Amino acid sequence: MLIVIATGFVTSEYRRGLIRVTLAATPQRGTVLVAKALVIGAVAFLVGAMTAATALPIGQHVMAGNGNYLFPSNTATVIRVIVGTGLLLALAAVGAVALAAIVRRAAAAVSLGIVVFAMPMLLGPGVLGPSLSGGAASWLYRASPAAGLSVFDTLPRTTLIDYPFTLANGYYPLAPWAGLAVLAAWAAGALALAAYRWRRRDA
């Protein structure tokens, strides 16, 4: 849903021919693109952070009520997950806006957004992951936009026990903020390419 809304933020103007009006009012195409990315990114961040802040205590209460053991998380970890959720959605939305600016067509932009930003996040353990080898899944969560999911890593690690801290056991291969930085690099790369393409062709 987020990708559809984000791409529509650009493609709807192309579909109705309003992009010419927008660029006539603000000839600096890079400024227009960045403004669109900031708006959709801010909205996605607020929605993500508010949703996480609401879902975390509810989820913990339900799981504890069903007899599941939950590792204790300190305040800093909880804040990181909430803020990280907002940033995860914001960066994915910015990337989707950039892809929409590149391809211009709604169906193509949505499809490309799903392939680039959503599909890698669905290929981890517990979703479609059994079809991937451990090495392939680890690589996916290090180099693709799925690395941003590392921000949800809350399980404790210690050298005092011999335990495989692997993706299959719920441990992400990158540190939380490092994984989010990988996602940010993908979004920034897409935005840079979109700005380049916008300057090189007509509206």
Side-chain angles (χ1 to χ4, degrees):
M1 180 60 75
L2 173 64
I3 289 176
V4 173
I5 294 172
T7 54
F9 206 54
V10 174
T11 58
S12 61
E13 284 196 273
Y14 277 105
R15 187 172 62 252
R16 299 188 178 99
L18 296 176
I19 190 66
R20 291 183 176 85
V21 177
T22 299
L23 295 179
T26 309
Q28 295 82 10
R29 297 187 176 198
T31 301
V32 173
L33 185 60
V34 169
K36 286 180 176 294
L38 287 176
V39 170
I40 197 66
V43 172
F45 174 82
L46 290 174
V47 171
M50 291 172 61
T51 301
T54 303
L56 270 176
I58 295 175
Q60 290 174 340
H61 176 75
V62 171
M63 291 186 70
N66 289 331
N68 296 291
Y69 175 77
L70 301 177
F71 287 102
S73 298
N74 57 35
T75 302
T77 299
V78 172
I79 292 175
R80 184 247 294 164
V81 170
I82 293 172
V83 173
T85 301
L87 291 173
L88 178 75
L89 293 184
L91 291 170
V94 168
V97 164
L99 294 178
I102 293 170
V103 301
R104 299 184 177 189
R105 299 182 184 279
V110 171
S111 298
L112 193 56
I114 291 173
V115 169
V116 174
F117 290 100
M119 190 61 69
M121 298 183 185
L122 297 177
L123 292 175
V127 187
L128 302 177
S131 62
L132 295 175
S133 67
S138 179
W139 176 87
L140 191 72
Y141 277 70
R142 288 178 182 275
S144 79
L149 295 176
S150 298
V151 78
F152 298 134
D153 195 349
T154 59
L155 298 178
R157 302 171 191 246
T158 178
T159 58
L160 300 178
I161 60 172
D162 183 17
Y163 183 77
F165 298 108
T166 62
L167 189 59
N169 290 327
Y171 292 88
Y172 294 91
L174 293 179
W177 297 117
L180 207 60
V182 173
L183 174 58
W186 277 85
L191 200 60
L193 179 59
Y196 174 79
R197 293 291 299 274
W198 263 30
R199 293 190 185 100
R200 291 283 177 171
R201 64 185 182 183
D202 295 332

